[in-house]
Amino acid sequence: TVYRTLSSFAESKILKRVDFRKDSVYFELNDNHHHHIVCTNCNEVEDFNNKEIEKVLGRIVETSSKFKSIKEHSLELFGLCRMCA
């Protein structure tokens, strides 16, 4: 089925599963690392990159007493877009 194929692509790291806190499962190509801002009213999604967030993650690992590295992470911010605010 389509769902098994999507799951297979996610396991192979071709696709990435994204949690937008909705009833549906979302997948996107795993081609470049980025984060998302999601409007909780109209469901508008904007991708964004931020090198400072990546630096903070590095510092978190440096100060962790139990972890040596981060293999992957996701960051979704939820709020209102300009049209809905």
Side-chain angles (χ1 to χ4, degrees):
T1 66
V2 171
Y3 300 107
R4 277 191 226 144
T5 302
L6 289 171
S7 293
S8 175
F9 284 169
E11 288 174 16
S12 301
K13 307 273 189 216
I14 296 167
L15 295 179
K16 179 172 57 171
R17 187 179 183 147
V18 183
D19 183 6
F20 290 145
R21 295 186 190 168
K22 298 179 184 167
D23 295 335
S24 301
V25 175
Y26 291 83
F27 291 92
E28 64 183 15
L29 275 176
N30 195 14
D31 60 347
N32 66 338
H33 181 72
H34 61 274
H35 305 285
H36 305 97
I37 304 173
V38 182
C39 180
T40 56
N41 188 54
C42 72
N43 298 319
E44 178 73 30
V45 176
E46 181 179 358
D47 297 346
F48 74 94
N49 296 306
N50 187 302
K51 294 187 186 299
E52 293 303 313
I53 290 172
E54 306 306 321
K55 290 178 186 177
V56 168
L57 291 173
R59 288 193 298 268
I60 289 170
V61 171
E62 288 171 2
T63 60
S64 173
S65 63
K66 296 184 180 184
F67 288 88
K68 187 169 181 86
S69 67
I70 295 173
K71 297 296 183 190
E72 61 182 82
H73 72 275
S74 65
L75 176 63
E76 282 69 48
L77 305 174
F78 297 89
L80 294 175
C81 69
R82 296 184 191 279
M83 295 296 293
C84 293

